[in-house]
Amino acid sequence: MSIPWKIKLILSLLSPIRNLCFRSNFTINRSLYNFLDRKTPPSPPSSHDVIIDPSRNLWFRLFNPSATANAASDNLPLPVIVYFHGGGFVTSSPDSAPFHSLAHRFSENLRAVVVSVNYRLAPEHRYPAQYDDGFDAVKFLDSSVDILPPTADLTRCFLAGDSAGGNLAHHVAVRASGFKFQRVKLRGVIALQPFFGGEERTESEIQIGNSAPGLTVESADWYWKAFLPNGSNRDHPAVNVFGPESIEISGLELSDSIVVFGGLDPVQDWQKRYCEGLRKAGKEVKLLEYPNAFHGFYIFPELPECSLMMNEIKDFMILQLKKIN
Ligand SMILES: *[C@@H]1O[C@H](CO)[C@@H](O)[C@H](O)[C@H]1NC(C)=O
Ligand SMILES: *[C@@H]1O[C@H](CO)[C@@H](O)[C@H](O)[C@H]1NC(C)=O
Ligand SMILES: *[C@@H]1O[C@H](CO)[C@@H](O)[C@H](O)[C@H]1NC(C)=O
């Protein structure tokens, strides 16, 4: 494992924080967690917050790429990326420092307007609250005028997310496939190490187990327990999307996807099964595999895989946008 020592140090602090806040009865000490979760305020004009529904604290942080980066192309329409942060459906928000920074990098590197959604968290709000919020955010963009900057082009829309956010991007895409939007046209799904699972133990879960940084099998199991309705197991179709209880998607009009894997991620076999399932259902998927990447590597922009990944995502978006125009 060739992880820089500074990153190793940060990762080694995560496990004691988890142990302090996450209880064995699948509840969380939210006030303690929020105290430890470092927040970043929006930084106008490159980012600001927009409220969708205050009754459930549904809002998003909007990132607009800087006008100075490429003056010649300033009047060109920009793609819109609806982004869902990771955190096992239990932690973090668009204003958590690592996710503010990640969304900002997506916006600058991909020259896209990024809408980073604050969805409700488990276990206070279990499945399907997160999917409801994610889909409602897309519908809000579709029906609201003058919310996005004038350069944002909703006919060039992508759904994206990391970890639990990658799971969300998939399920929101499935819901959106049957919906008649006024303006939104979905052009692709970008899933960074999407959080999927199942009752069976895969080879990568057995081999990597609790030894890798970023995510252990033990914490993954905890997150699913906190997220799923009482009495459900990991073969629930939200988790095991191509498992025994899954819904048929071959008839749905789903856009193409790009899926990122890491060789040190215990969940990688479930991500591969997800890609196989999409392909069997006749959908196009591009796979990006980084052997040295642990779960959540994209939080650390200094890792070489981050810039490689951004370039591949950029190419994917360009290809997707050419397909229809
Ligand atoms: C879980 O444990 C905490 C701390 O021990 C306790 O305060 C809380 O009431 C428990 N919640 C449930 C639902 O059992
Ligand atoms: C959460 O943790 C803090 C710090 O350990 C403690 O003071 C507080 O009582 C805890 N709250 C709950 C509801 O368990
Ligand atoms: C689910 O289980 C938790 C913890 O055991 C309990 O507090 C809660 O009331 C249960 N919810 C339902 C809907 O049964």
Side-chain angles (χ1 to χ4, degrees):
M1 244 186 255
S2 56
I3 301 170
W5 70 266
K6 244 170 86 180
I7 294 177
K8 267 192 188 153
L9 181 70
I10 293 169
L11 290 167
S12 72
L13 292 173
L14 292 179
S15 168
I17 288 179
R18 255 189 55 90
N19 292 342
L20 275 178
C21 302
F22 293 27
R23 305 188 185 111
S24 56
N25 65 6
F26 307 106
T27 65
I28 177 171
N29 184 333
R30 190 62 75 184
S31 47
L32 180 58
Y33 186 85
N34 286 343
F35 173 74
L36 296 168
D37 183 25
R38 198 162 47 89
K39 304 286 189 187
T40 304
S43 44
S46 81
S47 60
H48 67 273
D49 295 343
V50 178
I51 293 169
I52 301 176
D53 178 1
S55 73
R56 52 177 155 155
N57 198 23
L58 181 58
W59 56 271
F60 60 83
R61 181 160 291 183
L62 191 146
F63 296 82
N64 200 8
S66 62
T68 51
N70 193 349
S73 63
D74 275 350
N75 294 323
L76 288 181
L78 299 175
V80 177
I81 299 176
V82 180
Y83 195 84
F84 302 108
H85 67 80
F89 299 106
V90 169
T91 69
S92 304
S93 57
D95 59 351
S96 299
F99 290 111
H100 172 95
S101 150
L102 180 61
H104 183 250
R105 276 185 280 134
F106 262 80
S107 176
E108 291 297 325
N109 293 332
L110 305 171
R111 282 202 65 70
V113 170
V114 174
V115 167
S116 179
V117 180
N118 189 64
Y119 53 86
R120 281 170 291 176
L121 298 175
E124 293 91 335
H125 303 278
R126 289 169 184 262
Y127 165 92
Q130 294 73 18
Y131 300 168
D132 292 344
D133 290 353
F135 187 40
D136 287 347
V138 182
K139 286 198 286 188
F140 176 83
L141 295 177
D142 190 54
S143 61
S144 311
V145 181
D146 292 339
I147 291 288
L148 296 181
T151 43
D153 181 359
L154 280 171
T155 70
R156 302 166 177 229
C157 195
F158 291 82
L159 295 175
D162 65 278
S163 193
N167 173 302
L168 248 161
H170 166 76
H171 287 285
V172 170
V174 168
R175 285 199 186 186
S177 69
F179 191 81
K180 289 263 173 297
F181 290 108
Q182 306 286 317
R183 303 187 294 159
V184 165
K185 197 165 203 155
L186 293 178
R187 302 296 196 99
V189 172
I190 300 162
L192 319 185
Q193 301 180 314
F195 191 36
F196 292 117
E199 278 298 305
E200 187 194 328
R201 283 294 178 220
T202 62
E203 195 56 33
S204 65
E205 285 173 316
I206 293 164
Q207 292 299 323
I208 299 167
N210 298 328
S211 69
L215 181 72
T216 63
V217 170
E218 198 178 85
S219 52
D221 288 355
W222 192 97
Y223 287 128
W224 290 128
K225 270 280 201 210
F227 166 72
L228 287 170
N230 285 356
S232 295
N233 69 19
R234 294 189 305 271
D235 281 334
H236 188 285
V239 186
N240 195 350
V241 276
F242 294 105
E245 296 164 33
S246 64
I247 49 162
E248 181 57 47
I249 64 156
S250 54
L252 303 182
E253 219 174 281
L254 274 190
S255 45
D256 304 342
S257 339
I258 184 167
V259 181
V260 179
F261 307 95
L264 303 178
D265 182 354
V267 183
Q268 63 186 290
D269 284 352
W270 289 111
Q271 295 158 357
K272 285 172 192 162
R273 287 190 195 186
Y274 167 63
C275 293
E276 279 162 28
L278 286 177
R279 280 183 174 157
K280 275 191 196 141
K283 314 302 175 196
E284 273 186 50
V285 195
K286 184 174 167 60
L287 278 64
L288 283 185
E289 189 158 8
Y290 299 117
N292 283 319
F294 53 87
H295 194 91
F297 74 91
Y298 38 78
I299 290 301
F300 303 98
E302 60 270 44
L303 291 174
E305 287 86 353
C306 286
S307 48
L308 294 173
M309 180 184 80
M310 280 296 178
N311 290 338
E312 295 275 2
I313 293 174
K314 192 170 204 165
D315 291 346
F316 169 77
M317 288 174 66
I318 290 169
L319 200 70
Q320 290 306 107
L321 292 174
K322 273 187 189 155
K323 276 187 182 170
I324 303 178
N325 275 347

